[in-house]
Amino acid sequence: MTIYEELRARGLIAQVTDEDQIRSMVNEGKAKFYIGFDCTADSLTAGHFMALTLMKRLQMAGNKPVALIGGGTTMIGDPSGRTDMRKMLTKEDINHNADCFRHQMERFIDFGEGKAQMVNNADWLLNLNYVELLREVGACFSVNNMLRAECYKQRMEKGLSFLEFNYMIMQSYDFYYLFRHYGCNMQFGGDDQWSNMLGGTELIRRKLGEDAHAMTITLLTDSQGKKMGKTAGNAVWLDPKKTSPYDFYQYWRNVGDAEVLKCIRMLTFLPIEQINEMDKWEGSQLNRAKEILAYELTELVHGKEEADKAEAGAKALFASGADAEIPTTELDASDLGADGNIDILTVLVKAGLVPSKSEARRAVEQGGVTVDGEKVSDIHALLSGDALRSGKIIRRGKKAFKKVTVK
């Protein structure tokens, strides 16, 4: 199976331009393609995972990735899929986030000599003269067509700022610049970016002529990427300081039955033939599929040792007396009251099982909290420091738990 056929078989390709050329170039390892990453946080998330694994697949097939860090476009903010304007970040924050992205990407992509490249669009976007840009690029864009673009639709009712309206032009200019200065002949991105990406392809052809072969391909779906990026309202980060390897493992272990095989197909590097056999799995076999997904992705991001620990920790709750590592929160003696006790609501918050005491109260009142398997029904329940020194397993719901100890 060729690499392009594999991308199709894994359900990764949504739309393409010039499919015959793209298929030929990708299969022959002649594609030099870019994917952009705006620096809106100091860590990549699970929502970036498809793009990262795609770049790795294509590089393994001989193609050359260009990882575009959006130091310039982050100054504007992508309105795609949003109902409100993104928070404006300082240059210092953006530069810090860009450095964090570089470090994380190196786990997936080989940036060695003559291999993948990493560039930052701040290097050309921030130096543009606005009037010159309007004359050179603005004339190539129809405002009527831009207003019909999917990426702007959600913002039209509440109001689209002129700042954000420029995002399509900036992203299109990126492809034009990369095509001219880096020989980048292909761009990849989510289907929520389709209008912006077509803008780049059209700009190249209008500025450089119909013989300029710049091609566009979209992968993922916007809903799938966004869904993978968040859980219970919180982002799932690739930085272990923000989302522990155990919590990362648990996130993938808890995907829905209907999603698990899709995620395995799209995100892991298991042979497609093996995954096709798994399509027949059902019932309890799907739990095994979730374990495979969680382990494979945790190993990719955090390495085998952390994946082994996370897998063992997850199994520890279901195997009496298992000697395995469970995610632990260690309280300080100063967290205890004068009587040497601590209330259950405070424990839930400090363990990171709920974001606030009001959420902790609701969890207890709804019967969703247990301590070592015993349900807690009293919001004023106390745990003694002596009991916590040997460790207590605190659960919220079926899937969130921590071992809590005290020094």
Side-chain angles (χ1 to χ4, degrees), residues 330-384:
E330 186 176 61
L331 303 178
D332 192 87
S334 62
D335 293 319
L336 303 177
D339 58 358
N341 299 323
I342 185 170
D343 66 274
I344 186 63
L345 302 187
T346 300
V347 170
L348 287 165
V349 173
K350 286 187 174 293
L353 296 172
V354 293
S356 65
K357 283 197 173 182
S358 60
E359 288 291 326
R361 179 189 293 267
R362 277 194 289 273
V364 172
E365 290 175 340
Q366 293 169 3
V369 175
T370 64
V371 176
D372 281 352
E374 296 291 328
K375 183 177 291 187
V376 177
S377 56
D378 182 2
I379 61 172
H380 302 294
L382 299 174
L383 297 176
S384 72

Side-chain angles (χ1 to χ4, degrees), residues 53-251:
T53 55
L54 168 79
M55 294 174 84
K56 184 177 178 70
R57 288 184 211 283
L58 289 170
Q59 185 175 45
M60 290 168 63
N63 298 285
K64 292 186 177 180
V66 176
L68 176 63
I69 301 296
T73 41
T74 308
M75 297 285 288
I76 297 174
D78 183 4
S80 302
R82 295 186 63 86
T83 58
D84 57 355
M85 186 171 168
R86 292 182 186 273
K87 176 184 175 183
M88 294 184 68
L89 301 176
T90 66
K91 286 185 179 180
E92 292 74 21
D93 287 339
I94 292 171
N95 289 338
H96 170 72
N97 295 346
D99 289 339
C100 294
F101 278 22
R102 287 189 188 96
H103 177 71
Q104 291 176 353
M105 286 181 183
E106 288 170 351
R107 285 197 63 89
F108 295 85
I109 314 301
D110 185 353
F111 291 103
E113 184 69 27
K115 297 180 180 177
Q117 290 176 272
M118 188 176 294
V119 296
N120 190 328
N121 62 17
D123 293 341
W124 56 86
L125 292 182
L126 299 189
N127 295 323
L128 288 172
N129 176 286
Y130 188 61
V131 174
E132 290 179 1
L133 177 69
L134 289 177
R135 289 176 61 86
E136 181 182 6
V137 179
C140 299
F141 287 81
S142 162
V143 171
N144 291 346
N145 290 340
M146 291 174 72
L147 290 174
R148 285 193 291 267
E150 191 67 32
C151 59
Y152 293 142
K153 283 185 179 179
Q154 284 187 264
R155 297 302 310 282
M156 295 305 292
E157 289 186 13
K158 290 192 174 183
L160 176 71
S161 73
F162 184 69
L163 175 71
E164 297 167 288
F165 189 60
N166 283 269
Y167 191 89
M168 180 185 290
I169 294 177
M170 296 293 98
Q171 182 173 336
S172 299
Y173 188 84
D174 280 343
F175 193 19
Y176 173 65
Y177 188 93
L178 291 170
F179 183 89
R180 289 185 63 195
H181 297 277
Y182 289 87
C184 190
N185 52 31
M186 204 174 293
Q187 61 179 333
F188 289 73
D191 67 355
D192 61 323
Q193 298 289 312
W194 182 242
S195 298
N196 295 350
M197 295 166 70
L198 285 181
T201 302
E202 181 61 22
L203 177 61
I204 290 171
R205 289 175 176 169
R206 292 191 63 171
K207 296 294 294 182
L208 303 178
E210 291 296 323
D211 292 334
H213 297 301
M215 289 152 280
T216 301
I217 179 168
T218 66
L219 306 122
L220 343 177
T221 65
D222 183 38
S223 59
Q224 186 74 19
K226 296 294 189 295
K227 183 187 297 183
M228 288 185 178
K230 295 184 177 180
T231 178
N234 298 311
V236 179
W237 307 100
L238 303 194
D239 184 343
K241 295 178 182 177
K242 297 170 75 72
T243 297
S244 71
Y246 177 84
D247 288 336
F248 186 83
Y249 177 96
Q250 282 295 98
Y251 171 68

Side-chain angles (χ1 to χ4, degrees), residues 1-13 19-20 22-29 54 57-58 60-63 272-273:
M1 182 182 293
T2 65
I3 181 61
Y4 189 83
E5 289 172 338
E6 182 178 346
L7 296 181
R8 282 285 190 194
R10 289 182 180 273
L12 288 168
I13 297 178
E19 183 167 34
D20 289 342
I22 287 175
R23 180 188 293 107
S24 176
M25 293 181 70
V26 166
N27 287 342
E28 294 173 13
L54 168 79
R57 288 184 211 283
L58 289 170
M60 290 168 63
N63 298 285
I272 197 70
E273 296 80 11

